């Protein structure tokens, strides 16, 4: 049994200047593979809405969707820190509901922490969730749940005013008690500045190498998701193309009668076959 990575371990990794690796997972086999690979943290992100469920954006993902997928991932993970996303409207309808939904992710989903998008406007919710004993990871910059307000998937924090707001939000989230902070799609220089001013680790996605850790959507990293990947993604494999080739070969072999072959077939004694065909009593 491997020693479980904890929120305290994340903080210590920053103190020791060790980079933190995170990836997303949405099912049992992926969670198991990522965990065995040694990744530090696994986010069951609401990005599952787009890469797994086929939605146009993350706003359609429900609590039931999240709990279902977090459960599956948690069953396959022994070592990595599992963080569950709180989906759209799960922490916008009052503090009591926010705490209850965060509790479901921990109690039913068996995650070790939850992630919320937003800054100072959700501090009361974050504080209440932490007070209930639930670790919280923050998320600033491009926040996909607010995509309709933002107006698209654009780089955030490019002006002085926007950058100052992100710095203020980051410090406020740290003061509220979040154990780590995702910075998405912001200039590398701003991510460097925020990371240097916080004692908690920053996890970047499209935020340059100066963050204390990095996270990518696994389906993007492996080339499984066939939609357009963001420019900050580096593809380490083309599993989607490999899958297409394998499936095409399977279809061809079925139609040509090559599959199943002898190695994929079972047989019975010739005497029994003969009797079944009426050759004996």
């Amino acid at each position: 049994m491997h020693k479980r990575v904890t929120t305290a371990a994340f903080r210590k990794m920053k103190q020791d200047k060790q980079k933190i690796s995170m990836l997303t997972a949405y099912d049992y086999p992926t969670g198991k593979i990522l965990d065995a690979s040694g990744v530090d943290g696994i986010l069951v992100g609401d990005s599952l809405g787009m890469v797994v469920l086929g939605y146009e954006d993350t706003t359609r993902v429900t609590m039931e969707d999240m709990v279902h997928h977090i459960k599956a991932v948690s069953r396959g993970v022994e070592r990595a820190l599992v963080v569950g996303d709180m989906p759209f409207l799960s922490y916008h309808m009052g503090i009591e509901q926010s705490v209850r939904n965060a509790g479901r992710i921990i109690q039913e989903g068996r995650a070790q922490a939850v992630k919320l998008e937003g800054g100072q406007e959700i501090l009361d919710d974050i504080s209440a969730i932490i007070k209930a004993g639930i670790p919280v990871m923050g998320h600033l910059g491009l926040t996909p749940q607010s995509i309709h307000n933002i107006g698209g998937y654009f780089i955030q924090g490019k002006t002085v005013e926007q950058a100052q707001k992100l710095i203020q939000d980051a410090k406020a989230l740290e003061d509220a008690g979040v154990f780590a902070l995702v910075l998405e799609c912001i200039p590398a220089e701003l991510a460097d500045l925020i990371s240097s001013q916080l004692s908690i680790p920053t996890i970047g996605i499209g935020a340059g190498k100066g963050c204390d850790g990095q996270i990518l959507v696994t389906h993007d990293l492996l080339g499984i998701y066939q939609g357009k990947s963001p420019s900050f993604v580096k593809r380490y494999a083309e599993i989607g193309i490999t899958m297409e080739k394998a499936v095409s070969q399977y279809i061809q072999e079925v139609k040509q009668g090559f599959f199943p072959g002898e190695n994929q077939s079972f047989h019975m004694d010739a005497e029994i076959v003969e009797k079944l065909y009426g050759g004996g009593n």
Side-chain angles (χ1 to χ4, degrees):
M1 182 75 176
H2 298 289
K3 185 178 179 181
R4 171 75 75 170
V5 177
T6 64
T7 57
F10 266 45
R11 295 190 192 96
K12 189 172 189 310
M13 289 175 75
K14 169 156 184 153
Q15 293 170 4
D16 295 343
K17 295 184 172 13
Q18 296 178 2
K19 293 289 188 178
I20 299 168
S21 61
M22 290 193 71
L23 287 168
T24 63
Y26 315 102
D27 54 40
Y28 170 81
T30 305
K32 195 171 183 64
I33 290 170
L34 296 186
D35 192 48
S37 299
V39 74
D40 299 310
I42 295 175
L43 172 67
V44 188
D46 60 2
S47 49
L48 75 89
M50 300 170 74
V51 300
V52 174
L53 301 179
Y55 297 149
E56 292 181 359
D57 54 52
T58 63
T59 62
R60 302 188 186 188
V61 178
T62 67
M63 271 300 298
E64 299 309 317
D65 291 332
M66 291 308 308
V67 170
H68 175 82
H69 287 272
I70 295 167
K71 276 184 184 178
V73 171
S74 296
R75 284 192 285 267
V77 177
E78 296 181 0
R79 177 186 173 275
L81 179 75
V82 177
V83 182
D85 248 341
M86 292 191 67
F88 184 62
L89 291 184
S90 67
Y91 54 99
H92 307 83
M93 309 293 286
I95 291 176
E96 183 178 345
Q97 187 185 64
S98 298
V99 174
R100 185 183 302 113
N101 285 331
R104 288 191 64 194
I105 289 175
I106 303 298
Q107 192 171 49
E108 297 177 41
R110 308 307 298 167
Q112 287 82 57
V114 300
K115 181 172 76 64
L116 284 71
E117 295 182 6
Q120 296 174 67
E121 69 278 4
I122 60 167
L123 287 182
D124 290 343
D125 298 274
I126 288 176
S127 297
I129 291 170
I130 293 173
K131 192 175 293 185
I134 300 170
V136 173
M137 175 179 280
H139 184 156
L140 293 174
L142 175 60
T143 48
Q145 291 177 18
S146 304
I147 197 64
H148 297 307
N149 279 335
I150 296 173
Y153 295 95
F154 306 123
I155 299 172
Q156 303 297 303
K158 295 177 71 175
T159 68
V160 172
E161 294 76 14
Q162 291 174 349
Q164 289 176 337
K165 173 68 163 59
L166 285 173
I167 293 170
Q168 292 167 3
D169 281 342
K171 290 180 177 178
L173 289 175
E174 179 180 38
D175 291 341
V178 302
F179 74 90
L181 177 62
V182 171
L183 298 175
E184 181 170 357
C185 276
I186 68 172
E189 296 82 2
L190 178 57
D192 287 350
L193 179 59
I194 293 174
S195 300
S196 69
Q197 294 187 2
L198 300 182
S199 62
I200 59 172
T202 57
I203 311 296
I205 176 166
K209 63 172 62 177
C211 294
D212 302 298
Q214 299 291 329
I215 185 168
L216 282 178
V217 172
T218 298
H219 286 58
D220 288 333
L221 177 149
L222 295 178
I224 298 174
Y225 181 56
Q226 296 298 289
K228 183 180 179 182
S229 294
S231 60
F232 56 77
V233 169
K234 179 178 179 179
R235 292 205 176 204
Y236 288 80
E238 291 293 348
I239 303 299
I241 294 174
T242 301
M243 290 172 67
E244 286 184 11
K245 289 180 178 178
V247 171
S248 294
Q249 183 177 348
Y250 163 75
I251 293 169
Q252 185 177 16
E253 290 190 6
V254 167
K255 292 187 176 295
Q256 293 177 347
F258 297 148
F259 179 85
E262 278 300 305
N263 291 336
Q264 296 86 37
S265 301
F266 305 102
H267 297 284
M268 58 193 346
D269 290 342
E271 293 180 3
I272 296 177
V273 174
E274 186 178 353
K275 289 181 180 180
L276 290 174
Y277 276 92
N281 295 321

